[in-house]
Amino acid sequence: MTTELASLQARARVHAALGDPARLAVVDALTLGDASPGEIAHDLGMPTNLVAHHVKVLSEAGLLVRGRSEGDRRRTYLRLRPEALTTLTPAPLTGVGRVVFVCTHNSARSQLAAALWSDRTHTSAASAGTKPAERIHPRAVAVAHRHGLQLDVAGTAHVTDIVRDDDLLIAVCDNAHEELNGPVRPRLHWSVPDPVRVDTDAAFEAAFADLAARIDRVAPVITPATSSGDRHD
């Protein structure tokens, strides 16, 4: 089989997979954030067995990958493959006053995401944790510095002290996404692996790259309501 033919067949599988309205709805739901099959079923009002079928088709077409939750190990989350996202145009998120990134300890992923967001979009961003640490992880500070960003070493905060009504809350941590089930609820979920668990420069660089890529594809679809307040990163 020639390389060109293999490429055409792969593209045909993608087009066939997206030709079903229900599967296209699943892809739309995953364009801006990750979700478990059960969450997809709930949000789209589909039976779980039907969601499982559509996920299988989309996975075989190379559009989706699965990852085990770092919080509840019984859960899996679905995410779109980055190269597939280049052909998708999600609906805009309107009326966003400010973007707030949240993780468990507010010591790495959420801090890096807020700094990246402010740097890439030139708008205010904030970060918080469900169980904030006293200080930002040194490797997070180091990776930010290597990419020309600055973090306030002692600038951690609890989510309830930071979030406002018009904020777009993005969970960059499986645990935070699963814990925040009350009035404060993330609108988007990014299942970014915890670099602190590995605690190497490479792990923090991988988390930084993951966050940067997600911000680059989500930022263009956000329409701010008004100018937002002070940044907490």
Side-chain angles (χ1 to χ4, degrees), residues 12-195:
R13 286 194 297 272
V14 171
H15 283 282
L18 295 177
D20 183 280
R23 287 196 287 272
L24 188 56
V26 173
V27 170
D28 283 345
L30 294 172
T31 298
L32 301 181
D34 309 330
S36 69
E39 289 170 337
I40 291 291
H42 177 269
D43 291 343
L44 299 181
M46 289 185 193
T48 55
N49 62 333
L50 186 57
V51 170
H53 165 72
H54 290 315
V55 166
K56 182 175 184 292
V57 173
L58 292 167
S59 298
E60 290 176 348
L63 287 161
L64 304 182
V65 294
R66 292 175 179 265
R68 185 71 62 182
S69 169
E70 292 181 345
D72 183 348
R73 299 295 294 174
R74 296 168 296 180
R75 284 194 184 203
T76 60
Y77 289 112
L78 306 170
R79 64 187 293 177
L80 289 178
R81 298 180 64 214
E83 55 268 36
L85 291 169
T86 60
T87 63
L88 303 175
T89 305
L93 298 175
T94 60
V96 175
R98 182 182 59 163
V99 177
V100 178
F101 298 94
V102 60
C103 63
T104 304
H105 298 302
N106 191 212
S107 64
R109 287 165 290 183
S110 57
Q111 295 282 348
L112 292 171
L116 272 162
W117 185 273
S118 293
D119 182 68
R120 299 291 175 92
T121 69
H122 305 291
T123 61
S124 178
S127 71
T130 56
K131 300 179 182 68
E134 292 185 1
R135 298 176 67 82
I136 300 174
H137 195 285
R139 291 190 191 275
V141 176
V143 72
H145 181 74
R146 286 195 293 272
H147 291 274
L149 303 177
Q150 298 295 323
L151 300 181
D152 178 1
V153 176
T156 62
H158 194 278
V159 64
T160 56
D161 296 327
I162 295 297
V163 176
R164 306 191 297 237
D165 290 342
D166 62 346
D167 287 339
L168 171 64
L169 190 61
I170 302 178
V172 293
C173 162
D174 293 344
N175 283 304
H177 172 66
E178 293 163 13
E179 289 173 10
L180 293 172
N181 293 310
V184 177
R185 176 68 182 162
R187 187 170 175 183
L188 300 177
H189 170 216
W190 297 350
S191 187
V192 180
D194 184 4

Side-chain angles (χ1 to χ4, degrees), residues 137 139 146 195-205:
H137 195 285
R139 291 190 191 275
R146 286 195 293 272
V196 176
R197 295 192 181 205
V198 182
D199 201 17
T200 63
D201 287 344
F204 277 80
E205 286 287 353

